[in-house]
């Protein structure tokens, strides 16, 4: 603390001593530009979607103006009134600024000016927020993060009315409100500001945005490069358990642009947080583009910002909802406001991809600036093309060498596999190496639980993370992957987990009928190597594509392996006997197991265990090559959940005990449909008679899928050489197979 | 059995001896008429929705023709291949007949002829269906019911191609297929045919339809009036537990038209079965209208058939899904094919209500006859008006004197109460006197469970009723009403329940801001009178309308009363403490209680117990006036359900022990909204501070609702005089209230 205070003082001295000035630019110069706004005004009334957005925004802002300005003394968490009020204030002020520039109606300028001076009057004497939960408490909000949101938006409002204010007014606002505000979230809170984390991205952008409006080079440097001597100790943690400072870590906007994004544009925290961080990334990127084009922020790291938009859009299901990898609240989608920004900016400053226009059409609104205008004009002029999502493999890590996420899609998102073999994903990461989820169109077939939080719903822990996020949502057993000895990957230790990542074995979507992604994990359970291969296959004898899932485990010791499948729907049938307890007891005591009730326990009755369910009017069957000694557990979430923070979701879990080297092979097969309106049940039975591991040795693993007509297909995997050029030969049941590349698939049909 | 065989023989003799003939009519004369089809042909290409339906039906039929005709030896239950195949056959043949008449393409006539002769070849030697579950096994299907479906549709196909067949061909079909078929489902199965039940309606219509095509007066008489001497014993039951023969009961189509419909068009089995029965009712009604207009079947019982269509449409939520009263599968809606028939016929033969056109527009298809043409022309000509559903009170019972169902709607279905105070509803009735369900738009707020069955899904008990339908779905505790001493209404005895019904106390929807329905039940628990009053109230101080629920119980003995609320959504908060067991145990041993787990047990901490949940992005709070000694139970369905036949739904249950006379008063209050896309949480807190019973005596019960601002409203109910003209005076807390009519509502706002 002592050191930090000194640093703060030093920095303040520097600020006062050398007020460096950027070359003065006319306002607005941030998101809107003089030239841009001219073009917007000229096109008013001529571009339907733009005009509609102006009208809709005008309605919202006019309603707020009628409501009156309220800047209450901060008091509440996310779900409470003061939080919501200040949030609505900055959102509305930003919109009012755009309206002022477009419509040139003084009432919008006055609204912003009045609001800013109310804030100016209260800010100087404002203590830190009374809620003490955050590692970096804000003043208007309970965390600096939300204060930074405020400044990112308010900078735009200020920029919009800058020219309407006298120098005296501007000095007052800048000296009493904006500069102290920027200093508070940065030099007063380096533990928040000087990280590589979405929090810091917001902080950096906030400081940078106001720097550009105020023409303050020192703040801009701080935004871009962070605080040089932040006085932080290595290894400190925030209240989400994330590291604050890592050795050798740079800080500032550019570092945040560098580190969490892979060269493919994948953001290591996952799409839910990428969606959140995209706004400050892009809006400050755009501000820099307008104010300092020579810095080429959009071109940074081979266009990673614009690639990020593309990656993000590809991490959504057929309904546009983001896959809830790591901490992600389900239902968040590309309909959210920050994605309007992302899509419009990516269109304007990228390659004017006409497929983006179809998403903008669905969003049914555009940014009120030149990029939104460009999008609306593109739509008006009939340039729209459907946004087609293909299979995609996104690397993780700053250099793309820390695993990744593979998304295999068949047809028009008829079947979508999301396979996660990434790095830990910072503090919002889950302990779910080699996990997956499966979608048919926009419906979850096998789910990823997402987070345990009701974002902004005050009644649920103030809208913040619930303790079940740690005790359940982050645990390994909460995911469709292997849990060894009822423990978590890396023992649930963030420090360890952050040092490792899974590795891609190979990815091949070149044959649309047989698409494969394969990866290995050797650190989650020391001494145990897991190698999971997932193939989306469309076989002629099958109505729909299916998923083949092979997990080969090699361990130095004998262990228990649990493999759950979190199916979405109602149980239809199965081919094994099980006991159903009259009373339900938790399956275990910790690592997430304490939240699972055991609703049934059985044994395989054949070598191919089958389990069917009906979800969203469609049938699904899991067929798994099981061993006689396997246990089949039917679990239900909800034990030790007195606050009802968890959903009562179900799983079928395959438990294999006392094994060192073993292989799980399963097929998840969508089939048929059911309509409660026509009451027609179509193709409700599985087409599979047997799934069998016919070869499993060091070099090769082979699985045969036999359908009910006796036709079969064979999938052979080279376990040790993933080269696309390697030639292989192996004899199975007396027959010789030869091929080139890491896998071989043959179908008797 | 002996008697029945003799009867059968006698009837056969009669049939052969006096082949009475109707006056010969040109074909088609059943659904399509010569004149009608002329009009249809003239309008081809001019009426978009009609043309589109022709195209879509043509695609379906052409695909079936390409597939080829298959009439497999019957073998399977509803979910299986042979069942589905024969079902698709008759559906397709009926459509092919319409196409033949409209398009005059011989391939459709040939398809039907070939199919009919395949059936003719197999039918004579066909034994009864091998599946033995039904009380009336069919030949093509496992129950006569489905055989009757076949004949209703095949009659139409036969009628369509009648004139293309030689007399020899017709004789062959009629003697070997149609007459034996009609005899089998009627005189060979009087226990199926001679009831008042939706089964018999299908049977009667089937026999009547083929009678009209074949011009067979004896069969027509049998269709209209049943079998005179059926040899059935009084009191026998079917496999659903329904009575087969009741003393003094008439039979035949007209009796089925008479008895199950109330004068308001409510069908006593409930909307799910009404939807199913409407097709034979209307299609045979239409055939009679065409062939024997002098019998005025549509005008029977003051137009009850057409009134029934209106009643049925009004028994749906904002999405068009029918309320699952009694046995009803959720999701069934007015998009189903039989409602296309119902809507088109009701339009054509009713008053050409232009609101029906909006439903036809949503259905996006019409009947391929003159009524479908009329609807499509109405739509083309812009006559469509929105179908607006208002509050409605539908009496039950042949004379409208056996209770009923009240539906209170506020606004544009913003809040919909469904209050059931009806008769038992035949064999598909539930033991749920004075139960209710609540909807906000198309979303369930407090649910009626519906049935325990997966209709036509073979894996689930052959698609038939599951035993949990009896052990859970029909039970009292499965419903939002009072269970006394953990027993069922009428002890769950169908015989007793069928003798009684609840009684309307009053219904008043004249004031849209305060709509009330009130009813009493005195027989469900002998010695106990229950009086439930439900009011949908829009108060100025509240964002949305709320539901006030008052249950006054008077009993000769002290009892335990359980009042569950089956909320739909996730628990948010509550104002009472409760214990959460680590292990879950069933709440009871029988009467449905054996299926409930106890997830929490608490006591009220104040006189107004509050419980909030979030469902479908909307907030709800229950506020109930509780007593200190009440128990608050959090239950979860799913105990003793080894086959996973039940959903894992939850309830809050208020348990009051050792009480004779007592009153439950609760408010269910919808408020606010939450969006996972904007993450905005709006108005998530209840507006209610207290719900209090301020007066509860023989003559009057009064409840005060106080909001968080201290404003209050008062609802006074006259418990003994429901007259709209009666004047009342009562003093409450020293203040005198005077009013006229059964209730008084006053709001301090």
């Amino acid at each position: 603390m002592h050191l930090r205070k000194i640093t703060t003082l030093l920095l303040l001295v520097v600020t006062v001593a050398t007020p460096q000035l950027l070359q003065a630019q006319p306002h607005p110069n941030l998101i809107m530009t003089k030239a841009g706004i001219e073009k917007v005004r000229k096109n008013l009334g001529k571009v339907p979607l733009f005009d509609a957005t102006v009208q809709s925004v005008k309605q919202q802002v006019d309603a707020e103006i009628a409501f009156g300005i309220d800047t209450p003394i901060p008091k509440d968490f996310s779900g409470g009134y003061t939080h919501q009020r200040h949030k609505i204030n900055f959102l509305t002020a930003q919109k009012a600024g755009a309206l002022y520039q477009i419509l040139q109606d003084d009432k919008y300028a006055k609204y912003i000016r009045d609001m800013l001076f109310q804030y100016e009057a209260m800010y100087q004497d404002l203590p830190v927020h009374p809620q003490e939960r955050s590692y970096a408490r804000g003043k208007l909000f309970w965390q600096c993060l939300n204060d930074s949101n405020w400044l990112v938006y308010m900078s735009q409002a200020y920029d919009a009315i800058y020219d309407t204010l006298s120098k005296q007014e501007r000095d007052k606002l800048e000296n009493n409100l904006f500069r102290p505000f920027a200093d508070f979230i940065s030099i007063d809170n380096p533990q928040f500001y000087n990280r590589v984390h979405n929090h810091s991205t917001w902080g950096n952008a906030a400081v940078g945005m106001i720097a550009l409006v105020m023409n303050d080079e020192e703040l801009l440097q701080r935004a871009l490069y962070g605080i040089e001597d932040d006085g932080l100790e290595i290894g400190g943690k925030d209240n989400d358990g994330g590291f604050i400072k890592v050795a050798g870590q740079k800080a500032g906007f550019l570092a945040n642009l560098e580190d969490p994004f892979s060269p493919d544009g994948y953001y290591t925290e996952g799409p839910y947080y990428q969606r959140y961080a995209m706004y400050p990334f892009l809006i400050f990127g755009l501000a820099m583009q307008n104010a300092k084009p020579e810095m080429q922020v959009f071109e940074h790291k081979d266009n990673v910002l614009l690639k990020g938009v593309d990656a993000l859009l590809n991490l959504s299901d057929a309904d546009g909802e983001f896959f809830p990898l790591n901490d992600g609240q389900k239902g968040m989608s590309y309909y959210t406001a920050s994605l309007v920004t992302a899509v419009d900016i990516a269109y304007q400053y990228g390659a004017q991809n006409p497929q983006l226009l179809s998403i903008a059409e669905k969003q049914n609104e555009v940014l009120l600036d030149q990029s939104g205008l460009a999008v609306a004009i593109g739509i008006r002029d009939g340039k729209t093309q459907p946004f087609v999502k293909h299979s995609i493999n996104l690397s993780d890590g700053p250099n793309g060498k820390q695993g990744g996420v593979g998304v295999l899609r068949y047809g028009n998102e008829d079947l979508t596999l999301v396979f996660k073999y990434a790095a830990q994903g910072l503090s919002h990461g889950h302990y779910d190496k080699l996990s997956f989820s499966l979608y048919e169109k926009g419906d979850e077939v096998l789910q990823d639980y997402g987070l345990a939080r009701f974002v902004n719903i005050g009644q649920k822990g103030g809208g913040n993370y619930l303790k079940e996020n740690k005790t359940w949502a982050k645990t390994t057993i909460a995911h469709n992957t292997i849990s060894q000895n009822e423990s978590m990957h890396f023992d649930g230790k963030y420090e360890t987990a952050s040092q490792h990542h899974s590795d891609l074995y190979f990815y091949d979507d070149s044959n649309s009928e047989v698409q494969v992604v394969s990866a290995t994990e050797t650190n989650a359970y020391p001494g145990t190597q897991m190698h999971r291969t997932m193939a989306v296959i469309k076989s002629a004898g099958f109505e729909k594509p299916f998923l083949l899932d092979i997990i080969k485990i090699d361990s130095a010791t004998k262990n228990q392996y649990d493999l759950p499948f979190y199916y979405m729907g109602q149980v239809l049938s199965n081919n094994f006997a099980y006991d159903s307890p009259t009373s339900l007891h938790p399956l275990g005591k910790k690592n997430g197991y304490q939240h699972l009730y055991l609703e049934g326990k059985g044994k395989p009755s054949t070598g191919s265990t089958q389990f069917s369910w009906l979800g969203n009017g469609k049938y699904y069957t899991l067929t798994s090559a099981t061993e006689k000694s396997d246990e089949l557990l039917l679990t239900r979430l909800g034990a030790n959940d007195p606050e009802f923070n968890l959903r009562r979701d179900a799983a079928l879990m395959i438990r294999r005990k006392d094994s060192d080297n073993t292989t799980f092979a399963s097929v998840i097969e969508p089939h048929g449909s059911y309509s409660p309106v026509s009451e027609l049940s179509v193709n409700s039975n599985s087409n599979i008679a047997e799934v069998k591991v016919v070869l499993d040795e060091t070099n090769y693993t082979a699985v045969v899928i036999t359908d009910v007509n006796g036709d079969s297909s064979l999938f052979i995997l080279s376990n040790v050489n993933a080269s696309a050029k390697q030639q292989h030969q192996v004899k199975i049941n007396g027959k010789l197979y030869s091929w080139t590349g890491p896998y071989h698939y043959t179908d008797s049909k």
Side-chain angles (χ1 to χ4, degrees), chain A residues 23 58 113 143 239 317 345-346 364 404 469 488 499 597:
Chain A
Q23 192 150 13
K58 188 171 180 307
R113 184 174 60 238
Q143 46 179 0
N239 46 303
D317 68 18
I345 290 179
N364 203 28
N469 198 59
M488 289 166 65
Q499 292 164 20
Y597 282 120

PDB file of all heavy atoms in Angstrom, chain A residues 23 58 113 143 239 317 345-346 364 404 469 488 499 597:
ATOM      1  N   GLN A  23      -2.554  16.639 -30.825  1.00  0.00           N
ATOM      2  CA  GLN A  23      -2.946  17.665 -31.783  1.00  0.00           C
ATOM      3  C   GLN A  23      -4.457  17.849 -31.681  1.00  0.00           C
ATOM      4  O   GLN A  23      -5.217  16.879 -31.714  1.00  0.00           O
ATOM      5  CB  GLN A  23      -2.585  17.194 -33.200  1.00  0.00           C
ATOM      6  CG  GLN A  23      -2.699  18.299 -34.208  1.00  0.00           C
ATOM      7  CD  GLN A  23      -1.714  18.085 -35.352  1.00  0.00           C
ATOM      8  OE1 GLN A  23      -1.145  17.013 -35.497  1.00  0.00           O
ATOM      9  NE2 GLN A  23      -1.513  19.114 -36.156  1.00  0.00           N
ATOM     10  N   LYS A  58     -34.687   7.360 -30.133  1.00  0.00           N
ATOM     11  CA  LYS A  58     -35.315   8.621 -29.739  1.00  0.00           C
ATOM     12  C   LYS A  58     -36.421   8.367 -28.715  1.00  0.00           C
ATOM     13  O   LYS A  58     -36.530   9.082 -27.707  1.00  0.00           O
ATOM     14  CB  LYS A  58     -35.879   9.313 -30.992  1.00  0.00           C
ATOM     15  CG  LYS A  58     -36.393  10.717 -30.773  1.00  0.00           C
ATOM     16  CD  LYS A  58     -36.715  11.372 -32.110  1.00  0.00           C
ATOM     17  CE  LYS A  58     -37.245  12.786 -31.928  1.00  0.00           C
ATOM     18  NZ  LYS A  58     -38.375  12.883 -30.996  1.00  0.00           N
ATOM     19  N   ARG A 113     -25.594  17.637 -20.624  1.00  0.00           N
ATOM     20  CA  ARG A 113     -24.891  18.636 -19.819  1.00  0.00           C
ATOM     21  C   ARG A 113     -25.409  18.628 -18.385  1.00  0.00           C
ATOM     22  O   ARG A 113     -24.628  18.579 -17.428  1.00  0.00           O
ATOM     23  CB  ARG A 113     -25.060  20.030 -20.427  1.00  0.00           C
ATOM     24  CG  ARG A 113     -24.265  21.111 -19.689  1.00  0.00           C
ATOM     25  CD  ARG A 113     -24.327  22.458 -20.405  1.00  0.00           C
ATOM     26  NE  ARG A 113     -25.691  22.932 -20.515  1.00  0.00           N
ATOM     27  CZ  ARG A 113     -26.305  23.218 -21.668  1.00  0.00           C
ATOM     28  NH1 ARG A 113     -25.667  23.095 -22.813  1.00  0.00           N
ATOM     29  NH2 ARG A 113     -27.563  23.630 -21.674  1.00  0.00           N
ATOM     30  N   GLN A 143     -18.203  -2.078  -8.164  1.00  0.00           N
ATOM     31  CA  GLN A 143     -16.873  -2.456  -8.643  1.00  0.00           C
ATOM     32  C   GLN A 143     -16.397  -1.467  -9.713  1.00  0.00           C
ATOM     33  O   GLN A 143     -17.188  -0.902 -10.464  1.00  0.00           O
ATOM     34  CB  GLN A 143     -16.838  -3.905  -9.172  1.00  0.00           C
ATOM     35  CG  GLN A 143     -17.988  -4.277 -10.099  1.00  0.00           C
ATOM     36  CD  GLN A 143     -17.908  -5.717 -10.626  1.00  0.00           C
ATOM     37  OE1 GLN A 143     -16.994  -6.478 -10.314  1.00  0.00           O
ATOM     38  NE2 GLN A 143     -18.875  -6.076 -11.446  1.00  0.00           N
ATOM     39  N   ASN A 239     -11.595 -11.274  -6.403  1.00  0.00           N
ATOM     40  CA  ASN A 239     -12.637 -12.021  -5.695  1.00  0.00           C
ATOM     41  C   ASN A 239     -13.279 -13.130  -6.531  1.00  0.00           C
ATOM     42  O   ASN A 239     -14.069 -13.906  -6.027  1.00  0.00           O
ATOM     43  CB  ASN A 239     -13.714 -11.085  -5.120  1.00  0.00           C
ATOM     44  CG  ASN A 239     -14.181 -10.044  -6.114  1.00  0.00           C
ATOM     45  OD1 ASN A 239     -13.379  -9.272  -6.633  1.00  0.00           O
ATOM     46  ND2 ASN A 239     -15.456 -10.033  -6.412  1.00  0.00           N
ATOM     47  N   ASP A 317     -24.930 -20.948 -31.486  1.00  0.00           N
ATOM     48  CA  ASP A 317     -25.744 -22.017 -32.063  1.00  0.00           C
ATOM     49  C   ASP A 317     -26.630 -21.441 -33.167  1.00  0.00           C
ATOM     50  O   ASP A 317     -26.524 -20.261 -33.516  1.00  0.00           O
ATOM     51  CB  ASP A 317     -26.552 -22.732 -30.975  1.00  0.00           C
ATOM     52  CG  ASP A 317     -27.638 -21.858 -30.365  1.00  0.00           C
ATOM     53  OD1 ASP A 317     -28.023 -20.830 -30.959  1.00  0.00           O
ATOM     54  OD2 ASP A 317     -28.120 -22.214 -29.275  1.00  0.00           O
ATOM     55  N   ILE A 345     -19.168  -2.526 -36.847  1.00  0.00           N
ATOM     56  CA  ILE A 345     -17.768  -2.114 -37.003  1.00  0.00           C
ATOM     57  C   ILE A 345     -17.018  -3.122 -37.877  1.00  0.00           C
ATOM     58  O   ILE A 345     -16.229  -2.748 -38.739  1.00  0.00           O
ATOM     59  CB  ILE A 345     -17.093  -1.948 -35.619  1.00  0.00           C
ATOM     60  CG1 ILE A 345     -17.684  -0.717 -34.916  1.00  0.00           C
ATOM     61  CG2 ILE A 345     -15.578  -1.809 -35.766  1.00  0.00           C
ATOM     62  CD1 ILE A 345     -17.115  -0.465 -33.526  1.00  0.00           C
ATOM     63  N   ALA A 346     -17.297  -4.410 -37.650  1.00  0.00           N
ATOM     64  CA  ALA A 346     -16.606  -5.434 -38.451  1.00  0.00           C
ATOM     65  C   ALA A 346     -16.974  -5.300 -39.931  1.00  0.00           C
ATOM     66  O   ALA A 346     -16.146  -5.531 -40.806  1.00  0.00           O
ATOM     67  CB  ALA A 346     -16.969  -6.834 -37.942  1.00  0.00           C
ATOM     68  N   ASN A 364     -31.934  -6.109 -36.121  1.00  0.00           N
ATOM     69  CA  ASN A 364     -32.950  -5.096 -36.384  1.00  0.00           C
ATOM     70  C   ASN A 364     -32.622  -3.733 -35.789  1.00  0.00           C
ATOM     71  O   ASN A 364     -33.516  -2.959 -35.451  1.00  0.00           O
ATOM     72  CB  ASN A 364     -34.323  -5.598 -35.884  1.00  0.00           C
ATOM     73  CG  ASN A 364     -35.471  -4.903 -36.594  1.00  0.00           C
ATOM     74  OD1 ASN A 364     -35.326  -4.481 -37.743  1.00  0.00           O
ATOM     75  ND2 ASN A 364     -36.588  -4.757 -35.909  1.00  0.00           N
ATOM     76  N   GLY A 404      -7.344 -25.276 -27.926  1.00  0.00           N
ATOM     77  CA  GLY A 404      -8.342 -24.508 -28.653  1.00  0.00           C
ATOM     78  C   GLY A 404      -9.740 -25.047 -28.463  1.00  0.00           C
ATOM     79  O   GLY A 404     -10.021 -25.809 -27.535  1.00  0.00           O
ATOM     80  N   ASN A 469     -21.260 -21.655  -8.173  1.00  0.00           N
ATOM     81  CA  ASN A 469     -20.448 -21.563  -9.374  1.00  0.00           C
ATOM     82  C   ASN A 469     -19.129 -22.306  -9.167  1.00  0.00           C
ATOM     83  O   ASN A 469     -18.636 -22.974 -10.068  1.00  0.00           O
ATOM     84  CB  ASN A 469     -20.163 -20.104  -9.741  1.00  0.00           C
ATOM     85  CG  ASN A 469     -19.726 -19.964 -11.178  1.00  0.00           C
ATOM     86  OD1 ASN A 469     -20.456 -20.348 -12.083  1.00  0.00           O
ATOM     87  ND2 ASN A 469     -18.520 -19.457 -11.393  1.00  0.00           N
ATOM     88  N   MET A 488     -11.222 -33.228  -9.265  1.00  0.00           N
ATOM     89  CA  MET A 488     -11.311 -32.279 -10.360  1.00  0.00           C
ATOM     90  C   MET A 488     -10.008 -32.249 -11.147  1.00  0.00           C
ATOM     91  O   MET A 488      -8.947 -32.581 -10.625  1.00  0.00           O
ATOM     92  CB  MET A 488     -11.624 -30.878  -9.812  1.00  0.00           C
ATOM     93  CG  MET A 488     -13.042 -30.752  -9.274  1.00  0.00           C
ATOM     94  SD  MET A 488     -13.280 -29.259  -8.271  1.00  0.00           S
ATOM     95  CE  MET A 488     -13.053 -27.987  -9.508  1.00  0.00           C
ATOM     96  N   GLN A 499      -1.250 -23.115 -15.747  1.00  0.00           N
ATOM     97  CA  GLN A 499       0.049 -23.382 -16.367  1.00  0.00           C
ATOM     98  C   GLN A 499      -0.054 -24.357 -17.535  1.00  0.00           C
ATOM     99  O   GLN A 499       0.939 -24.633 -18.198  1.00  0.00           O
ATOM    100  CB  GLN A 499       1.013 -23.961 -15.317  1.00  0.00           C
ATOM    101  CG  GLN A 499       1.394 -22.939 -14.256  1.00  0.00           C
ATOM    102  CD  GLN A 499       2.004 -23.620 -13.040  1.00  0.00           C
ATOM    103  OE1 GLN A 499       2.464 -24.748 -13.113  1.00  0.00           O
ATOM    104  NE2 GLN A 499       1.975 -22.911 -11.916  1.00  0.00           N
ATOM    105  N   TYR A 597     -27.755 -36.056  -6.979  1.00  0.00           N
ATOM    106  CA  TYR A 597     -28.500 -37.173  -6.395  1.00  0.00           C
ATOM    107  C   TYR A 597     -28.380 -38.369  -7.322  1.00  0.00           C
ATOM    108  O   TYR A 597     -28.283 -38.222  -8.543  1.00  0.00           O
ATOM    109  CB  TYR A 597     -29.983 -36.814  -6.257  1.00  0.00           C
ATOM    110  CG  TYR A 597     -30.302 -35.926  -5.093  1.00  0.00           C
ATOM    111  CD1 TYR A 597     -30.891 -34.666  -5.295  1.00  0.00           C
ATOM    112  CD2 TYR A 597     -30.073 -36.341  -3.783  1.00  0.00           C
ATOM    113  CE1 TYR A 597     -31.209 -33.845  -4.227  1.00  0.00           C
ATOM    114  CE2 TYR A 597     -30.383 -35.524  -2.709  1.00  0.00           C
ATOM    115  CZ  TYR A 597     -30.955 -34.281  -2.930  1.00  0.00           C
ATOM    116  OH  TYR A 597     -31.266 -33.477  -1.876  1.00  0.00           O
TER     117      TYR A 597
END
